[in-house]
Amino acid sequence: MLQLENINQFYGDSHTLWDLTLDVPSGSRTCLLGRNGVGKTTTLKCVMGLQAISGGALNFDDQDIAGLPAAHRAALGIGYVPQGREIFPRLSVEENLKIGFAVCPADKAQEAYERVLDIFPVLRQMLGRAGGDLSGGQQQQLAIARALILEPKLLILDEPTEGIQPNIVNEIGELVVKLNEEQGITVLLVEQKLALVRRIADRFFVLDKGRVVANDRIENLNDDIINEHLTV
């Protein structure tokens, strides 16, 4: 479904991603792993068109998307939940959700809206509340719901459990699996909690200094890889 081939990316004079190649097959739950600052979030932003690439190929559903703006990529079926959630704190829950209507087909928007409220019933009870007044876990649910309004084929999640209380962490993990298995949504996520990754991912890629240094089925994520590339 998603293929990155020999992607290079720069922040000014700093070479951040080095010939990065990875693939996310349709129907998979793929996790990007690595220490802080190795390029995981940058990789996701390159996929979404929020960071320009300096070379390489970027394809989604057999279409070259490297030159498309972020809104066009979303319209093709890529939902994105950024690190830190980035909801609009002064807008209501309802207004945050309906921002997705901008790239959702008009004849499907209301149906998609009702569907995400069925998935997140707590949000239905808070439609008039400002996004900034929600707890961290509720804000994360709002951010995921906003991405699901687009009815994405691919859902990208950047550290969805960061700063979330443990019971909500488990709920988010279960939701990711449910969306994948019951709705057929392919998932690409960055996540630091290895116990959770082992439960919800089926494939992994490890990044180190902007390069892929390991990838395999999740059951093959062993102590050697963890000790060399993931422990601080």
Side-chain angles (χ1 to χ4, degrees):
M1 172 175 280
L2 176 70
Q3 297 88 32
L4 286 72
E5 184 174 356
N6 296 324
I7 296 295
N8 286 272
Q9 194 273 340
F10 291 81
Y11 286 113
D13 293 331
S14 177
H15 196 166
T16 309
L17 300 181
W18 297 72
D19 295 325
L20 188 144
T21 295
L22 63 85
D23 68 290
V24 181
S26 179
S28 69
R29 300 189 297 271
T30 300
C31 186
L32 292 185
L33 297 167
R35 298 185 181 97
N36 290 335
V38 299
K40 303 184 301 297
T41 291
T42 297
T43 299
L44 300 188
K45 287 184 175 181
C46 287
V47 172
M48 281 308 303
L50 301 174
Q51 293 289 346
I53 61 175
S54 301
L58 181 55
N59 292 280
F60 175 69
D61 261 1
D62 297 321
Q63 179 176 345
D64 180 3
I65 63 170
L68 296 180
H72 288 192
R73 301 186 197 198
L76 289 175
I78 305 178
Y80 177 54
V81 181
Q83 186 179 25
R85 300 178 279 277
E86 295 186 11
I87 64 164
F88 296 93
R90 295 187 179 181
L91 297 184
S92 69
V93 168
E94 181 176 13
E95 290 167 333
N96 268 277
L97 290 173
K98 289 187 173 179
I99 285 172
F101 284 12
V103 292
C104 184
D107 59 337
K108 295 183 178 180
Q110 190 61 37
E111 181 181 349
Y113 175 76
E114 293 297 331
R115 186 179 298 114
V116 299
L117 291 178
D118 289 340
I119 295 172
F120 299 100
V122 67
L123 298 181
R124 191 184 290 277
Q125 302 168 19
M126 301 180 174
L127 289 174
R129 188 176 300 185
D133 292 340
L134 273 59
S135 69
Q138 290 165 348
Q139 289 184 12
Q140 186 63 67
Q141 292 178 69
L142 175 58
I144 295 172
R146 182 178 59 188
L148 292 176
I149 287 280
L150 308 177
E151 299 193 308
K153 303 173 187 175
L154 171 66
L155 179 63
I156 296 176
L157 302 158
D158 193 353
E159 299 209 26
T161 67
E162 183 180 33
I164 304 298
Q165 55 269 42
N167 62 315
I168 302 298
V169 168
N170 291 332
E171 288 181 14
I172 290 173
E174 292 169 0
L175 174 66
V176 168
V177 174
K178 184 176 181 179
L179 291 172
N180 173 258
E181 293 183 345
E182 296 184 9
Q183 298 190 24
I185 299 174
T186 302
V187 177
L188 171 62
L189 77 155
V190 167
E191 180 55 61
Q192 300 280 15
K193 297 178 175 64
L194 290 180
L196 180 67
V197 170
R198 292 185 190 279
R199 290 204 306 273
I200 68 174
D202 55 25
R203 306 171 73 252
F204 72 90
F205 285 82
V206 177
L207 272 61
D208 196 357
K209 297 179 181 177
R211 295 177 170 90
V212 173
V213 293
N215 73 92
D216 210 329
R217 300 284 302 175
I218 196 65
E219 56 265 28
N220 295 321
L221 178 59
N222 57 42
D223 289 343
D224 289 341
I225 295 172
I226 292 170
N227 292 334
E228 184 175 358
H229 299 294
L230 302 180
T231 56
V232 177

